[in-house]
Amino acid sequence: MKFVVYRDDIDYTYHRDTQLDLEMAQGQLYQLRVQENASHALTNTFTAQYGLRDNLTLSASLPLVAKSDLLKDATAAGLGDISLGARWEPFPLKAGRLPLILFANLSTKTGDSPYEINPVKDLSTGKGYYSAGIGASTRKYIDPVVLFSSVSANYGLKESGLNQLRGNRVLESFDPGLSGGFSFGFAYSFNYDVSLTMSYQQSFNTGAKFYFKNDESYQSADQSSAMLSFALGVRVSPETIVNGTVAIGLTEDAPDVSLGLSFPLDIIGFGKKVR
């Protein structure tokens, strides 16, 4: 049976760090200033999922992003990066065998690119490049607990034709490189109406390469980001479950705090089930 599901996800992230503003000339330090920075991001993502077959689901996500940065004294709001995805379960469920779910996604660059704005005073709402990803996940039922895990990889396409001033140099192209990650956790059902999920996620990014005019180039360091998440699912009606999430950053590159709220949408004029 084919189906259509609409979902609304609201996510808030808070990231605080300390930056050093240095100015040197002829080997001598003329200025040293410690700056405290705090950034806030609120993302409202509308997602539609369509069951093309019993084992194949297509999805599309449209994010709306609002950001603020204390250090820049700047705000931004607009469309984020639209993404398309597919989820496929190649093998039918069988007793004694773990299910395998394969997934893929394509992320666009519809949001404001960080490589086409003034980085000193403006904020972006997107990542600025196309990317494609693949992954796999599995799960294990041990009533009343469900164990799950997944692994994924992403490739970012190189962006060229840029003309962004960064300090005294002009950025011409950017290669985001490869990224990947894994996650695992469990979900525990207290009863028919309430469940708790705890998960650990970690991602890795290879150093991005920046190419400037006059044949200059720079490669950033590899990064790793890890978060510990707790989610509470509450059934508010026979067909509706609302999920609230709290995530804590465990590494320097991760947001300090992330809050999320997810719930299905019943859009008038679109049936949830299509026979």
Side-chain angles (χ1 to χ4, degrees), residues 85-106:
R87 188 173 67 250
W88 178 46
E89 193 166 354
F91 308 111
L93 291 177
K94 184 178 179 180
R97 183 175 65 188
L98 292 176
L100 175 65
I101 300 174
L102 305 178
F103 55 88
N105 66 82
L106 173 65

Side-chain angles (χ1 to χ4, degrees), residues 17 34 52 98 104 123 126-127 135 138 142 147 155 205 208 229 238-239 260 262:
D17 61 4
V34 180
L52 187 63
L98 292 176
L123 299 176
K127 63 185 182 307
T138 188
I142 308 176
L147 305 176
Y155 175 73
N205 298 79
S229 301
E239 296 182 351
S262 176

Side-chain angles (χ1 to χ4, degrees), residues 45-275:
T45 304
F46 298 96
T47 302
Q49 297 180 334
Y50 178 70
L52 187 63
R53 295 182 178 179
D54 291 340
N55 64 342
L56 178 61
T57 302
L58 307 179
S59 64
S61 298
L62 187 153
L64 302 176
V65 181
K67 287 183 175 181
S68 68
D69 190 292
L70 178 64
L71 185 60
K72 294 181 180 180
D73 191 22
T75 60
L79 180 65
D81 294 332
I82 295 175
S83 63
L84 305 173
R87 188 173 67 250
W88 178 46
E89 193 166 354
F91 308 111
L93 291 177
K94 184 178 179 180
R97 183 175 65 188
L98 292 176
L100 175 65
I101 300 174
L102 305 178
F103 55 88
N105 66 82
L106 173 65
S107 179
T108 67
K109 55 173 187 176
T110 50
D112 295 332
S113 171
Y115 310 105
E116 296 179 356
I117 61 173
N118 185 336
V120 177
K121 62 178 183 179
D122 296 329
L123 299 176
S124 64
T125 60
K127 63 185 182 307
Y129 57 89
Y130 288 97
S131 66
I134 56 173
S137 66
T138 188
R139 60 188 182 273
K140 173 69 174 178
Y141 293 97
I142 308 176
D143 192 44
V145 174
V146 180
L147 305 176
F148 57 86
S149 64
S150 68
V151 62
S152 62
N154 274 272
Y155 175 73
L157 278 66
K158 185 177 180 179
E159 279 295 307
S160 58
L162 303 177
N163 188 33
Q164 185 186 56
L165 182 63
R166 293 199 168 194
N168 296 322
R169 299 181 294 181
V170 177
L171 179 66
E172 288 188 321
S173 60
F174 163 75
D175 189 352
L178 296 172
S179 64
F182 65 90
S183 67
F184 58 86
F186 70 89
Y188 178 81
S189 178
F190 293 101
N191 52 46
Y192 179 75
D193 296 319
V194 180
S195 63
L196 175 67
T197 301
M198 185 176 74
S199 63
Y200 173 84
Q201 306 101 29
Q202 185 158 358
S203 62
F204 307 91
N205 298 79
T206 60
K209 297 180 180 179
F210 301 84
Y211 301 91
F212 301 89
K213 286 186 177 179
N214 303 322
D215 295 327
E216 295 184 59
S217 63
Y218 166 76
Q219 181 170 354
S220 63
D222 296 344
Q223 294 182 330
S224 178
S225 175
M227 298 195 73
L228 182 64
S229 301
F230 302 89
L232 184 68
V234 179
R235 186 181 299 275
V236 296
S237 75
E239 296 182 351
T240 303
I241 297 177
V242 176
N243 290 281
T245 304
V246 176
I248 303 171
L250 303 178
T251 61
E252 186 68 25
D253 296 322
D256 293 75
V257 176
S258 178
L259 304 176
L261 182 64
S262 176
F263 51 90
L265 293 176
D266 188 3
I267 301 178
I268 298 176
F270 293 89
K272 287 187 176 181
K273 294 183 179 180
V274 181
R275 294 183 182 273

Side-chain angles (χ1 to χ4, degrees), residues 8-69:
D8 189 15
D9 298 288
I10 302 174
D11 297 288
Y12 165 78
T13 58
Y14 171 75
H15 200 150
R16 180 175 180 178
D17 61 4
T18 302
Q19 301 179 5
L20 297 179
D21 184 8
L22 302 175
E23 184 174 343
M24 299 185 66
Q26 298 179 350
Q28 295 187 6
L29 181 65
Y30 286 90
Q31 175 179 298
L32 173 59
R33 183 171 56 185
V34 180
Q35 297 176 318
E36 295 291 337
N37 186 29
S39 60
H40 307 264
L42 182 65
T43 305
N44 189 5
T45 304
F46 298 96
T47 302
Q49 297 180 334
Y50 178 70
L52 187 63
R53 295 182 178 179
D54 291 340
N55 64 342
L56 178 61
T57 302
L58 307 179
S59 64
S61 298
L62 187 153
L64 302 176
V65 181
K67 287 183 175 181
S68 68
D69 190 292

